[in-house]
Amino acid sequence: MFPVVHTRQLSESVFEMGIEAPRIAAKARAGQFLMVRTTGRGERIPLTFSDWSEGEGWIRFIFMRVGKTTHELSHLSVGDSLADVVGPLGVPTHTEPVGRVAIVGGGVGAAVAFPVARAMAQAGSEVSVILGARTRELLVLQDEIAALPGVTLTVVTDDGTAGEKGLVTSPLKRLCEAGSIDRAFAVGPAIMMKFCAATAREYNVPITVSLNPIMVDGTGMCGACRVTVGGQTRFGCVEGPDFDGLAVDWEELMSRQRIYADDERAADSEFSRGCSCHL
Amino acid sequence: MPPNKPRHKPSRDPRTPMPERAAEVRRGDFDEVASGYSSDDAYREAMRCLQCNNPTCEAGCPVNIRIKDFVGAIIEGQPRRGVEILKERNALPAVCGRVCPQEEQCEAACVLAKKGDPVAIGRLERYLGDFDLACELEHRCVPETAEASGYRCAVVGSGPAGLACAGELARLGHEVTVFESLHAPGGVLTYGIPEFRLPKAIVEAEVGLLEEAGVRIVCDEVIGRIATVEELMTDEGFDAVFIGTGAGLPHFLGIPGENLNGVYSANEYLTRVNLMGAYEFPARADTPVWRGRKVAVVGAGNVAMDAARTAIRLGADEVFLVYRRTEEEMPARREEVHHAKQEGVEFKLLCSPLEITGSNGWVTGIVATRMELGETDESGRRAPVCVLGSDFEIECDTVVIAAGTGANPLTADAAPELERSRRGYIVTDDDGATSTPGVYAGGDIVTGAATVILAMGAGKKAARAMDVWMHQRTES
């Protein structure tokens, strides 16, 4: 069992949770993820972690309440436990110095953008972070990213309630156009990563994306997470989650992400009906 | 004078049939198909055994179980003693009694097999395994362990190879920790083999007895990510490590349309249903599985049969098994082929998929070509050859690919220094020793996909070699 040691509601539907997991904390690297199971009957879901402390033995992750499992997670508080937490999984993001890099984090993708920006800046890259969300209150980890030494932050919201109004691709395009970045990294909704990749392609800037396909085991055993990259089938969990953004088949990824949409809605509404607190 | 032992008079009865639930009943649920021998059945069957002076059956068993003696114990009405004899060599008799291919191993080597039906050794093994599990927990047979040696061993993977290795190491007096990446131990026994063929409660109970014998099982830890094999030995103080991670990476066919929604690897399909209990979604499990109306399973091994029979139980109207050779060449056990047919799986033989078709991202069918059998190939079977211009379409909304598995890249991350074959399998000597001293491996990660009992045999053999290695190193 993995005890919950920290919870924080970041917005109406976004939560941060810290758990005691010293062995994972000792090995965690930016860009990796966890498989989490809330209860004995629960699903295994992949969640990216945003922070960890080897010394104190904890890891933190951020999740949006979208289905039954995340709904259930959002009800836990300090003193509760998660049934299972496995990690760190996936290949860590390459953070060796690459000159000037733009990191785009959309929505809860900020959970990955934050440690990646921190690691890249620490390694000596010049880092510009573009943080985006639909609206102000869905912006995640803005203060933490702003406080990172050696990182410049641009905030974008669809509705203009914070930072500049528009999409993350606008500031990305500006950086590309000005010739002021050598590489880009994007993490967030697939549609956002797809357009970031299209922007990068226009200016011939290499871009790495952190993909979030559906997974079951997270260790390369089931093949649920397969994505087509450069015409080849790759396994997101063991070969990713990072891939060359210019080579990803985005339509396929987005289609595969929707496989269980109906089931997930049914399970969540069932859960919400039986739930006494009506969050 | 030794007391006169009454001479055993073997019966000439035909082989005692295995009681099983009717196909039309069992296709509607996930309960076990074969219900097992009663004690009368077991006695009747055991009486067929000739109790040969030279029991050839034992040579046919990869873990050399004392078959003659455990069958003898049933004849003498002493099942308890039979269990003890079995467990000297095999920690998982209730599992092996259900899933071993006995017809190719012990039973093939039975003297009676020359003239007719061999003794149903597997069914008798299951009978004793179940007899043990039916006892109160404190009365179950936990094999005796030797005096504590002071050595610590790590076992990576809790499938058949890892469990057999761990059990043997514990018996030899070593402290054993098994690392499992999933949330439940058992490996393929838990995620792969369906409830209707191997109930999870049986796996849990037999693994529980290993824990009683002192084996420590740590779930949720992925060796290769949380620690490497080298770190297990240097930082965590293990004297020797056994790698039994299996060959879990699913193979696909490499044809167009394989990533359409509704196309599963057999591993994913079976994991969702077995490990995650998706057949009880949403009432009692949170993991969904796509329940197709027309399901095509590609392949003809035991895994393909398991997937096809699972699809029937998930409520499919039609389930096709698509295989490019004939029934003769099918790698699955005869019994499983027979069960699948009884339950209504339709066999589309001599056809090979060329493409999976879809619309709006979802599967709509398979374009296949007819095959015929040509010359014998290196597998010793007649090779299937395309019949030109014979393409046709099989309409379906789900495709399950059961085309085998390969070495998982994570295993290479766990121990990059080990010598590997071209296909990524770990190279070992006959005892399971790898190119790194103190590191042993066995099971599918060495041989490629094989059977439960062969993996167990490899795990056990490696355990003995680890025991010798640890003692020798200390002495020198």
Side-chain angles (χ1 to χ4, degrees), chain B residues 83-403:
Chain B
V83 173
E84 285 161 13
I85 294 167
L86 251 175
K87 288 221 177 167
E88 276 174 25
R89 305 277 167 96
N90 181 356
L92 311 172
V95 169
C96 289
R98 287 171 168 80
V99 302
C100 270
Q102 291 97 6
E103 63 281 3
E104 294 168 17
Q105 293 171 335
C106 50
E107 292 179 12
C110 172
V111 170
L112 292 182
K114 287 179 188 152
K115 283 193 175 165
D117 284 331
V119 174
I121 299 168
R123 295 171 185 176
L124 293 174
E125 180 183 29
R126 168 177 164 166
Y127 164 73
L128 289 178
D130 287 355
F131 174 87
D132 189 42
L133 294 181
C135 297
E136 296 288 327
L137 193 58
E138 61 272 25
H139 296 124
R140 289 182 196 166
C141 174
V142 177
E144 275 181 40
T145 53
E147 205 182 314
S149 68
Y151 293 115
R152 296 180 64 227
C153 305
V155 170
V156 184
S158 69
L163 291 176
C165 181
E168 188 69 6
L169 287 168
R171 220 172 60 84
L172 294 166
H174 306 306
E175 193 188 316
V176 192
T177 305
V178 180
F179 294 94
E180 167 56 47
S181 64
L182 291 170
H183 56 260
V188 70
L189 306 174
T190 300
Y191 75 75
I193 302 178
E195 183 76 14
F196 54 81
R197 206 149 72 77
L198 176 63
K200 299 307 145 229
I202 298 284
V203 180
E204 274 166 38
E206 291 206 324
V207 171
L209 287 175
L210 277 177
E211 291 181 283
E212 287 285 309
V215 172
R216 183 168 166 256
I217 298 182
V218 179
C219 289
D220 293 328
E221 292 207 358
V222 183
I223 302 305
R225 291 282 188 251
I226 205 145
T228 61
V229 167
E230 197 187 338
E231 284 166 338
L232 289 177
M233 293 179 84
T234 53
D235 302 350
E236 301 194 21
F238 289 106
D239 297 289
V241 178
F242 174 78
I243 305 175
T245 48
L249 194 81
H251 280 162
F252 288 88
L253 302 171
I255 59 174
E258 266 184 309
N259 293 345
L260 283 164
N261 294 350
V263 182
Y264 284 102
S265 74
N267 265 8
E268 180 186 355
Y269 195 65
L270 293 173
T271 298
R272 282 183 180 273
V273 177
N274 300 326
L275 177 71
M276 306 310 299
Y279 61 96
E280 298 190 305
F281 176 91
R284 281 193 293 279
D286 296 342
T287 306
V289 66
W290 166 243
R291 293 175 180 239
R293 308 306 318 171
K294 289 187 174 194
V295 181
V297 177
V298 181
N302 290 324
V303 175
M305 298 304 154
D306 286 346
R309 297 170 68 197
T310 294
I312 294 261
R313 285 163 174 76
L314 288 176
D317 298 329
E318 289 172 272
V319 178
F320 312 112
L321 192 105
V322 181
Y323 182 49
R324 58 193 191 128
R325 303 183 201 242
T326 71
E327 199 173 320
E328 190 91 333
E329 290 83 19
M330 284 188 179
R333 295 181 70 188
R334 292 299 109 191
E335 191 183 322
E336 307 307 333
V337 174
H338 175 67
H339 281 149
K341 279 188 177 170
Q342 276 184 332
E343 290 167 10
V345 176
E346 192 187 318
F347 286 23
K348 291 191 180 287
L349 303 174
L350 288 168
C351 37
S352 180
L354 298 176
E355 183 185 349
I356 299 169
T357 52
S359 126
N360 295 323
W362 285 84
V363 171
T364 53
I366 293 178
V367 177
T369 175
R370 304 252 175 238
M371 309 294 281
E372 55 191 16
L373 292 183
E375 301 293 310
T376 304
D377 64 11
E378 69 273 17
S379 75
R381 298 175 297 180
R382 292 177 62 198
V385 185
C386 272
V387 179
L388 284 177
S390 66
D391 299 4
F392 67 103
E393 185 155 358
I394 302 165
E395 195 188 308
C396 59
D397 57 12
T398 309
V399 177
V400 182
I401 313 272

Side-chain angles (χ1 to χ4, degrees), chain A residues 36-231:
Chain A
V36 171
R37 205 168 69 116
T38 320
T39 66
R41 60 167 274 173
E43 257 185 303
R44 297 168 62 93
I45 59 163
L47 292 172
T48 38
F49 45 80
S50 54
D51 206 357
W52 60 92
S53 163
E54 181 174 357
E56 294 170 20
W58 52 258
I59 47 174
R60 281 182 189 175
F61 53 85
I62 287 176
F63 60 93
M64 185 183 267
R65 196 173 55 209
V66 285
K68 182 186 172 187
T69 304
T70 45
H71 205 143
E72 208 167 47
L73 266 181
S74 71
H75 286 213
L76 299 182
S77 48
V78 173
D80 292 332
S81 287
L82 303 186
D84 301 279
V85 179
V86 189
L89 296 171
V91 181
T93 298
H94 295 296
T95 50
E96 56 270 20
V98 289
R100 300 162 303 172
V101 58
I103 297 173
V104 185
V108 288
V112 183
F114 170 60
V116 168
R118 182 172 61 186
M120 285 186 172
Q122 273 168 4
S125 290
E126 201 179 297
V127 179
S128 306
V129 173
I130 300 164
L131 194 61
R134 278 205 315 276
T135 182
R136 176 193 185 90
E137 77 114 7
L138 290 175
L139 282 168
V140 173
L141 296 180
Q142 184 183 345
D143 298 341
E144 286 84 347
I145 294 172
L148 287 174
V151 171
T152 47
L153 174 64
T154 308
V155 172
V156 187
T157 48
D158 293 9
D159 61 1
T161 46
E164 62 179 84
K165 183 176 172 162
L167 300 172
V168 289
T169 41
S170 314
L172 179 63
K173 194 176 166 96
R174 283 202 303 272
L175 288 170
C176 291
E177 217 158 40
S180 52
I181 53 166
D182 304 306
R183 281 198 77 86
F185 176 91
V187 54
I191 188 80
M192 182 210 87
M193 292 190 281
K194 175 186 167 179
F195 283 103
C196 288
T199 306
R201 183 194 305 278
E202 219 179 296
Y203 296 94
N204 241 342
V205 171
I207 180 168
T208 301
V209 290
S210 174
L211 302 185
N212 49 348
I214 287 177
M215 294 182 188
V216 183
D217 67 298
T219 62
M221 187 263 281
C222 81
C225 63
R226 56 198 195 275
V227 288
T228 300
V229 182

Side-chain angles (χ1 to χ4, degrees), chain B residues 62-63 159-162 164-165 242 442-444 447 450-461:
Chain B
V63 293
C165 181
F242 174 78
D444 289 4
T447 55
T451 63
V452 167
I453 193 70
L454 283 172
M456 288 182 68
K460 228 173 108 163
K461 206 167 175 185

